[in-house]
């Protein structure tokens, strides 16, 4: 009984804090979905950025090897230019390898923080779905931000269910798969066509894949 009363009091306090922060006209579901979308984007960014950093060394190794191989069969002037280019790439590789541990540590911190935010947003969505009255949502998820509040949020139950179907570890894996596939051969691991949208907060799989895909595409353009 004490635990139940404490939990109800905590939920009520959270709702009052949210109302004070965002205003009474905001929808708690939309806020939680947007928080989830932002966290998923940050997690996908961290996962893809780590793979890109690791790939950068392999890419430089390939370029160095290509320059040296071509120098073996090129004319003297061309061969000298290719060897000079290889030396420059070797210096760049040494710098990248030296800074790699710091970058990997940064991405790990970003990943951990994003995972915590994903869990918090999903926990809030579960609470809303179980006790909507504590979060400003009437029975049936009537939404005060839509019209006069007489009707339910459009498809809100389905959106919550979709937002909860992947945990943080699964979302991270999706981003890694997408980034790895595009780094290896340029093809997406998952079919993703729709652009990112602030209204698609529950579509965690699509959001994670799109962020990873775009980050890899940007990196490929810079490297090539």
């Amino acid at each position: 009984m004490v635990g139940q009363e404490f939990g109800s009091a905590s939920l009520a306090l959270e709702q009052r804090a949210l109302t004070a922060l965002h205003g009474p006209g905001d929808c708690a579901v939309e806020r939680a979905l947007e928080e989830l979308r932002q966290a998923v984007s940050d997690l996908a960014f961290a996962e893809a950025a780590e793979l890109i950093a690791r790939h950068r060394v392999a890419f430089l190794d390939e370029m160095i090897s290509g320059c040296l191989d071509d120098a073996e069969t090129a004319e003297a002037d061309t061969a000298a230019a290719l060897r000079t280019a290889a030396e420059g790439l070797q210096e760049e590789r040494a710098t990248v390898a030296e800074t790699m541990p710091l970058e990997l540590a940064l991405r790990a911190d970003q990943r951990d923080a994003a995972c915590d935010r994903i869990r918090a947003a999903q926990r809030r969505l579960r609470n809303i779905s179980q006790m909507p009255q504590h979060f400003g949502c009437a029975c049936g998820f009537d939404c005060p931000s839509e019209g006069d509040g007489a009707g339910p949020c459009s498809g809100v139950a389905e959106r919550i269910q979709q937002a909860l179907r992947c945990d943080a570890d699964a979302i991270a894996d999706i981003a890694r798969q997408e980034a790895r596939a595009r780094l290896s051969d340029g093809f997406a691991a998952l079919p993703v066509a729709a652009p990112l949208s602030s209204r698609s907060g529950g579509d965690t799989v699509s959001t994670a894949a799109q962020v990873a895909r775009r980050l890899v595409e940007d990196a490929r353009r810079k490297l090539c």
Side-chain angles (χ1 to χ4, degrees):
M1 179 66 70
V2 173
Q4 293 177 347
E5 291 178 353
F6 178 78
S8 298
S10 297
L11 289 172
L13 287 172
E14 181 178 0
Q15 170 56 20
R16 285 199 292 272
L18 288 172
T19 299
L21 180 62
H22 299 283
D26 288 345
C27 176
V29 174
E30 292 295 342
R31 287 199 302 273
L33 288 173
E34 177 60 17
E35 290 167 4
L36 177 61
R37 190 188 76 90
Q38 292 293 337
V40 167
S41 296
D42 291 346
L43 175 57
F45 179 92
E47 290 290 347
E50 178 177 323
L51 280 175
I52 290 169
R54 295 182 185 277
H55 178 78
R56 196 175 298 127
V57 172
F59 182 79
L60 289 170
D61 285 339
E62 291 178 4
M63 292 182 65
I64 292 168
S65 178
C67 287
L68 294 177
D69 289 344
D70 290 344
E72 294 294 329
T73 58
E75 296 182 357
D77 290 345
T78 302
L82 287 170
R83 292 191 181 95
T84 299
E87 291 176 358
L89 291 170
Q90 287 169 341
E91 293 178 0
E92 182 178 351
R93 186 197 185 284
T95 300
V96 170
E98 183 179 357
T99 59
M100 178 77 69
L102 293 175
E103 182 168 2
L104 296 182
L106 171 64
R107 302 310 177 195
D109 289 343
Q110 291 175 335
R111 179 171 54 248
D112 291 344
C115 286
D116 289 343
R117 289 163 52 208
I118 287 171
R119 296 185 185 102
Q122 290 182 329
R123 183 169 58 250
R124 180 167 296 170
L125 286 169
R126 291 189 187 94
N127 290 338
I128 293 172
S129 65
Q130 293 169 4
M131 290 175 286
Q133 66 276 10
H134 286 287
F135 293 85
C137 294
C139 293
F141 293 102
D142 287 349
C143 178
S145 66
E146 293 189 3
D148 58 4
C153 295
S154 177
V156 67
E158 290 79 7
R159 295 177 68 192
I160 290 177
Q161 184 178 12
Q162 185 181 35
L164 297 177
R165 69 188 179 97
C166 290
D167 61 13
D169 292 336
I171 294 168
D173 188 56
I174 289 166
R176 281 195 301 271
Q177 289 182 32
E178 179 73 10
R180 188 178 293 113
R182 287 193 169 269
L183 284 169
S184 62
D185 56 19
F187 290 97
L190 295 171
V192 179
L196 287 173
S197 169
S198 62
R199 297 290 295 179
S200 60
D203 195 357
T204 53
V205 172
S206 179
T207 298
Q210 287 178 75
V211 170
R213 179 189 67 182
R214 293 185 180 187
L215 188 61
V216 171
E217 289 175 347
D218 287 345
R220 288 170 71 91
R221 282 194 293 268
K222 293 176 182 178
L223 289 172
C224 297

